[in-house]
Amino acid sequence: MGRLFGTDGARGVAITELTCETAMQIGKAAAIVLTKKTKHKPTIFIGKDTRISSDVLEAALAAGICSVGANAEILGVVPTPAVAALVEQKGADAGVMISASHNSFEFNGIKLFSSTGYKLSDEMEEEIEELILDRPQDMKLVSHGEVGKITYYRDAQTDYIRYIMKSIKGNLTGLRIAIDCANGSASATAKRLFEGLGANVYVINSSPDGTNINDNCGSTHIGNLMQFVVDKKCHAGLAFDGDADRCLAVDEKGQLIDGDKLMAICAKAYKEQGKLKKNTAVVTVMSNLGFTYFAKNNGIKMQTTKVGDRYVLEKMLDGGYNLGGEQSGHIIFLDEANTGDGQLSGAKVLEILAESGKKMSELASVMEHYPQVMINVKISPRDREVWKNDSQITDLIEHYENELGDSGRILVRESGTEPLIRVMLEGKDFKQINEYAIAISEKIKERAGR
């Protein structure tokens, strides 16, 4: 991608890296690019998560939007998928979500949605970026009666909850579930949603204070939920990230069920119900080898994309598929939603659980999880892509790939949101892949790390 946007919008340390000035410029450029075909005064929705910096970035974005003649409508604290859903349902011209997702509180980000509720393509983000960085003089300010207004969408949380409830046909009555809200956006919606679906709900980490989002909680720190599910004798647990666009689960034994296993549960159920379009699930290169074998054993086809839920969505739209997702817990149910939605995913899985009469551990056993090792190596932002042309690194990777053969795989890639190189190995022999992962990571540190 370019100089502002990564795989999931613009992101950085709030105020010092992702500055108010940048947020205002993004507001201006997004309003111009995303509404250039409208013949009315456009309206852009703005949602946010619970970070302490979200309020000031919201103010800067709204100022930018209004300064070029569009209206800004403030949704307040909502999940990222709520912005996507409400933009489409209410006929807004675009949407913005202020969130750094699973990152710690000092980071923040800006994600953009078109009037259809879909995240922007790379090309459209590049157009916005070019306007900000190369042609700022083309962002003409307005005055007098042309200045936009700021209004407030008071029922955004409630309308989003109703939308999810309408997407779930079953009833969760009798289920005892635990929910970890990550002190993020789900804190505003999850308890009401799952109680509304009939479940007996226990909630943890739903008291955001601006600095505790994702702090040893949520889908990136799921250990507390594992123990909580066992202590409360729950049928299952759900963990969301800061903006609630991803979901991981825990079975009744306190064992993790990651995004791949959730996808397997849903793909199998959809196939049995005749709802899996083209008998295909869309996954990324990060999906566990176990999913590949699950798909073969159950007669399900796979389509694979590079990492990023936007690329999963593009493949789904291009191929006419309705189920896709990532190991991290971004799952897209395209019949109901235009983006990954953690609470919709959780509700879908619990619906399957309730209808099956089985235990969560039984559902998850449909897929065997192959051992996986992931090591993150920090790099300087100026060293991005350099490692790919370093023969000492690439030759070592190739050597270990030959050693693994068909019994495993190696994936080395740069993060789209952080200055990291992710080294991932999978295989049947944990000791072997762990040894290889450490060796590759040490070589990258030596040659390109900071």
Side-chain angles (χ1 to χ4, degrees):
M1 271 300 299
R3 296 156 287 174
L4 281 178
F5 296 103
T7 56
D8 200 17
R11 194 172 297 192
V13 175
I15 311 306
T16 59
E17 292 178 358
L18 182 60
T19 66
C20 296
E21 291 80 5
T22 299
M24 185 177 289
Q25 292 292 83
I26 290 174
K28 291 178 185 177
I32 291 168
V33 171
L34 297 178
T35 66
K36 60 186 177 183
K37 294 183 179 179
T38 61
K39 296 182 179 177
H40 57 273
K41 193 160 193 168
T43 295
I44 297 178
F45 284 177
I46 304 176
K48 63 184 175 185
D49 70 15
T50 58
R51 292 163 211 272
I52 195 169
S53 60
S54 290
D55 290 350
V56 69
L57 293 176
E58 174 189 77
L61 273 163
I65 289 167
C66 294
S67 70
V68 294
N71 294 325
E73 188 159 351
I74 308 299
L75 307 188
V77 172
V78 291
T80 288
V83 177
L86 295 174
V87 163
E88 181 187 26
Q89 290 180 11
K90 301 300 180 180
D93 297 283
V96 185
M97 179 66 184
I98 303 165
S99 175
S101 191
H102 60 283
N103 294 140
S104 51
F105 85 94
E106 70 270 20
F107 291 91
N108 219 323
I110 296 173
K111 308 178 186 183
L112 303 173
F113 295 89
S114 69
S115 61
T116 58
Y118 292 115
K119 288 183 180 179
L120 303 191
S121 65
D122 289 349
E123 293 74 22
M124 190 164 284
E125 283 192 345
E126 285 166 2
E127 185 179 352
I128 292 170
E129 185 176 72
E130 180 189 353
L131 191 58
I132 295 169
L133 298 178
D134 301 333
R135 297 186 291 110
Q137 69 278 4
D138 291 345
M139 293 192 288
K140 304 297 184 184
L141 302 180
V142 300
S143 64
H144 297 79
E146 294 182 3
V147 175
K149 292 182 179 180
I150 297 175
T151 56
Y152 296 86
Y153 186 161
R154 304 293 183 185
D155 296 322
Q157 295 172 2
T158 299
D159 286 351
Y160 168 72
I161 290 169
R162 287 172 177 161
Y163 144 73
I164 297 292
M165 291 183 69
K166 288 179 181 177
S167 301
I168 304 301
K169 307 304 180 188
N171 192 301
L172 306 186
T173 299
L175 287 185
R176 291 164 56 91
I177 64 169
I179 296 175
D180 186 339
C181 296
N183 291 314
S185 294
S187 304
T189 54
K191 191 172 191 295
R192 279 196 289 158
L193 167 62
F194 288 98
E195 285 183 343
L197 291 170
N200 188 2
V201 180
Y202 299 88
V203 177
I204 59 174
N205 300 310
S206 62
S207 301
D209 64 8
T211 64
N212 61 359
I213 187 171
N214 299 316
D215 185 11
N216 195 35
C217 59
S219 62
T220 52
H221 301 86
I222 203 166
N224 292 334
L225 180 64
M226 291 175 169
Q227 187 60 51
F228 188 79
V229 165
V230 174
D231 291 346
K232 292 294 184 180
K233 296 182 172 57
C234 293
H235 295 97
L238 303 176
F240 305 112
D241 63 337
D243 65 337
D245 64 350
R246 67 172 73 180
C247 173
L248 298 181
V250 174
D251 69 19
E252 77 285 354
K253 300 175 182 178
Q255 297 299 306
L256 171 66
I257 303 175
D258 68 5
D260 286 335
K261 283 200 170 187
L262 292 177
M263 280 275 293
I265 291 169
C266 294
K268 186 173 187 294
Y270 267 36
K271 179 181 172 66
E272 291 171 350
Q273 297 165 13
K275 296 196 300 185
L276 187 61
K277 289 183 179 176
K278 298 190 176 179
N279 196 35
T280 299
V282 180
V283 297
T284 77
V285 293
M286 291 295 288
S287 287
N288 190 270
L289 269 176
F291 191 90
T292 301
Y293 291 111
F294 152 78
K296 287 180 180 178
N297 293 337
N298 287 274
I300 293 171
K301 299 175 185 176
M302 281 175 53
Q303 289 286 330
T304 304
T305 75
K306 58 184 177 180
V307 174
D309 60 323
R310 69 163 63 201
Y311 304 116
V312 173
L313 177 60
E314 287 175 4
K315 178 70 75 172
M316 293 173 72
L317 292 171
D318 289 344
Y321 312 121
N322 66 338
L323 181 63
E326 299 185 279
Q327 186 184 64
S328 61
H330 283 117
I331 302 177
I332 302 172
F333 294 88
L334 200 53
D335 291 337
E336 290 87 13
N338 295 340
T339 189
D341 188 326
Q343 289 172 96
L344 175 62
S345 300
K348 287 279 190 182
V349 171
L350 292 178
E351 181 182 35
I352 293 168
L353 175 65
E355 291 177 351
S356 71
K358 296 179 179 179
K359 294 181 178 179
M360 196 69 171
S361 58
E362 292 179 79
L363 292 183
S365 68
V366 70
M367 175 189 146
E368 178 186 359
H369 199 283
Y370 277 63
Q372 184 181 85
V373 175
M374 172 84 78
I375 299 177
N376 293 329
V377 181
K378 288 186 177 181
I379 58 171
S380 169
R382 67 175 178 273
D383 290 330
R384 284 187 178 274
E385 306 293 328
V386 171
W387 64 275
K388 292 182 179 179
N389 298 313
D390 189 309
S391 61
Q392 289 194 36
I393 297 173
T394 56
D395 288 352
L396 185 63
I397 293 170
E398 183 179 358
H399 169 70
Y400 287 138
E401 284 176 334
N402 291 333
E403 289 290 312
L404 284 172
D406 294 334
S407 66
R409 66 178 182 131
I410 300 173
L411 180 65
V412 181
R413 56 174 284 271
E414 287 189 25
S415 168
T417 58
E418 302 171 83
L420 297 173
I421 294 176
R422 304 194 192 280
V423 178
M424 189 274 283
L425 276 81
E426 287 177 339
K428 297 179 179 179
D429 185 336
F430 175 79
K431 184 178 179 181
Q432 180 188 38
I433 62 172
N434 190 54
E435 176 187 325
Y436 292 176
I438 292 171
I440 293 170
S441 300
E442 289 300 321
K443 181 61 69 174
I444 293 173
K445 286 179 186 177
E446 174 193 324
R447 305 288 295 175
R450 69 177 188 184

